[in-house]
Amino acid sequence: QVQLVESGGGLVQAGGSLRLSCAASGRTFSSYVMGWFRQAPGKEREFATAIGRIGVNTYYADSVKGRFAISRDNAKNTVYLQMNSLKPEDTAVYYCAATSYSGGSNGYRNPFQYGYWGQGTQVTVSS
């Protein structure tokens, strides 16, 4: 079992930056692949990025590649999402998620592979 709590969301102007954090409870944080998903009003939840168990392998959606960076600190049970060059279309609720799935990168992009979710944090980018 793992509980996830996101923080760091807020309102930012286009071109600005935000850093999201996701703190996890439990002793087995390093056994999970961690992902960030986002959901805009009226849209389905979509994959943004994921990071492997030891933080070496990272995966990004094309829409955020080159602007977002995921990282993790297993000693602090925390995963981060650094978001730069933000655009109005990045406006969404951002969710942190954990999965024990180990079937490869395609699975990490699938929200149904994740068994644990945080409550979400709102990110609003004004134009």
Side-chain angles (χ1 to χ4, degrees):
Q1 290 280 350
V2 61
Q3 293 183 326
L4 305 172
V5 179
E6 302 98 334
S7 61
L11 174 64
V12 63
Q13 288 188 333
S17 298
L18 279 176
R19 189 194 196 202
L20 305 183
S21 299
C22 172
S25 65
R27 302 178 182 177
T28 59
F29 176 71
S30 61
S31 68
Y32 294 97
V33 170
M34 301 299 297
W36 286 96
F37 290 77
R38 63 186 185 181
Q39 188 166 18
K43 294 188 177 181
E44 292 185 353
R45 191 168 299 189
E46 67 172 7
F47 170 78
T49 180
I51 188 167
R53 292 168 175 81
I54 61 173
V56 172
N57 295 321
T58 56
Y59 313 90
Y60 293 95
D62 288 344
S63 58
V64 307
K65 194 175 298 182
R67 300 187 299 120
F68 290 12
I70 189 171
S71 61
R72 68 189 295 165
D73 186 337
N74 286 345
K76 296 182 178 180
N77 281 12
T78 302
V79 61
Y80 305 97
L81 180 60
Q82 178 67 43
M83 303 185 295
N84 300 323
S85 302
L86 282 162
K87 306 174 181 180
E89 51 263 43
D90 294 319
T91 295
V93 177
Y94 282 71
Y95 296 92
C96 171
T99 179
S100 56
Y101 176 79
S102 59
S105 60
N106 285 338
Y108 302 146
R109 301 171 184 270
N110 182 352
F112 293 102
Q113 293 293 352
Y114 291 76
Y116 303 99
W117 292 84
Q119 82 288 350
T121 185
Q122 177 70 47
V123 172
T124 302
V125 184
S126 64
S127 57

